[in-house]
Amino acid sequence: SQQGEEDPQALSIQEGENATMNCSYKTSINNLQWYRQNSGRGLVHLILIRSNEREKHSGRLRVTLDTSKKSSSLLITASRAADTASYFCATQRRGTYKYIFGTGTRLKVLA
Amino acid sequence: GAVVSQHPSWVICKSGTSVKIECRSLDFQATTMFWYRQFPKQSLMLMATSNEGSKATYEQGVEKDKFLINHASLTLSTLTVTSAHPEDSSFYICSASPGPLGSGELFFGEGSRLTVL
């Protein structure tokens, strides 16, 4: 069953603006990961954040994790048209090795 | 990063036939691989966990006789959709991790789009 809920479901912004996507989950986790998917393609890993971490950065990406609220956010700064894609969070439930994906956010960056 | 390869990338078949999809880890060994299914504009649904040398573990609601999984080696898992019907049309994606489960990122294949006529 799906564990994660993401919002917004769709987001449309202008190039250069920041994009923020949120992910909420229901149970305790080992870690949470963010992935990107271009239409009809496989998934590309963006960032992994462990349950004892609160924030991680990678280039223009910033991920936060609030385990008390069971939520995470992905911030893409200075967006580019090439960032247009679907973004998914995936959580690994504590005590298991399976990853369950959120509903995803479809981001469109307008040039 | 690690590479996972899927084949075929797309397949069209007639209703009632069986289709095999391969998932290979090209530069690492994977004792466990995961198979996901994705409908258009939807998220990935975990179908089953493929375990090398043993039976796959299926998620609730997934028919094991319909979706046969074989993980015969440390670099290859196959998903066979048996007696395919139009409702089985979907995007199937596999993933694997080079490290101990839970230690790091999953690497995904490019997916296989199945269309059943």
Side-chain angles (χ1 to χ4, degrees):
Chain A
S1 61
Q2 293 223 74
Q3 172 168 249
E5 295 281 335
E6 290 179 62
D7 77 271
Q9 289 188 347
L11 179 62
S12 186
I13 59 174
Q14 294 291 328
E15 206 167 29
E17 294 181 338
N18 296 341
T20 299
M21 289 159 267
N22 303 296
C23 168
S24 60
Y25 56 92
K26 298 174 184 173
T27 64
S28 296
I29 60 172
N30 294 326
N31 63 66
L32 182 147
Q33 305 193 36
W34 284 90
Y35 287 87
R36 165 199 168 119
Q37 183 184 34
N38 287 80
S39 181
R41 305 291 299 273
L43 277 74
V44 175
H45 179 262
L46 297 176
I47 288 185
L48 178 154
I49 186 165
R50 301 195 186 281
S51 60
N52 60 352
E53 297 176 311
R54 292 296 167 256
E55 187 172 313
K56 286 190 84 169
H57 297 254
S58 177
R60 294 183 295 114
L61 307 180
R62 172 176 169 253
V63 167
T64 62
L65 178 64
D66 187 334
T67 53
S68 66
K69 294 181 180 179
K70 292 186 171 57
S71 67
S72 174
S73 67
L74 169 66
L75 168 67
I76 303 175
T77 60
S79 63
R80 305 167 182 167
D83 294 329
T84 295
S86 290
Y87 292 81
F88 296 94
C89 66
T91 51
Q92 185 184 56
R93 206 173 297 174
R94 184 157 294 170
T96 77
Y97 48 76
K98 297 184 289 188
Y99 281 94
I100 305 299
F101 282 77
T103 49
T105 294
R106 293 191 304 279
L107 173 67
K108 188 170 186 178
V109 181
L110 304 170
Chain B
V3 179
V4 175
S5 173
Q6 259 183 265
H7 177 82
S9 55
W10 60 270
V11 57
I12 300 173
C13 70
K14 292 182 178 180
S15 190
T17 60
S18 294
V19 174
K20 180 185 285 187
I21 300 169
E22 294 185 347
C23 178
R24 293 181 186 272
S25 54
L26 297 186
D27 50 1
F28 66 96
Q29 293 183 332
T31 55
T32 302
M33 293 184 177
F34 302 95
W35 285 96
Y36 292 86
R37 180 175 183 176
Q38 185 179 34
F39 290 106
K41 297 186 178 180
Q42 294 190 25
S43 187
L44 283 73
M45 299 298 294
L46 180 64
M47 297 175 67
T49 303
S50 173
N51 304 298
E52 188 268 334
S54 65
K55 291 182 179 180
T57 305
Y58 291 83
E59 293 301 299
Q60 193 172 13
V62 178
E63 299 175 60
K64 61 180 181 181
D65 295 329
K66 174 73 168 175
F67 299 99
L68 298 179
I69 292 173
N70 183 273
H71 195 147
S73 77
L74 288 170
T75 59
L76 173 65
S77 174
T78 60
L79 168 68
T80 300
V81 183
T82 62
S83 186
H85 288 93
E87 58 265 30
D88 298 324
S89 298
S90 191
F91 193 54
Y92 293 90
I93 309 178
C94 70
S95 70
S97 178
L101 288 174
S103 66
E105 64 188 271
L106 290 175
F107 291 92
F108 283 82
E110 281 292 299
S112 300
R113 186 166 302 284
L114 170 64
T115 301
V116 185
L117 302 176

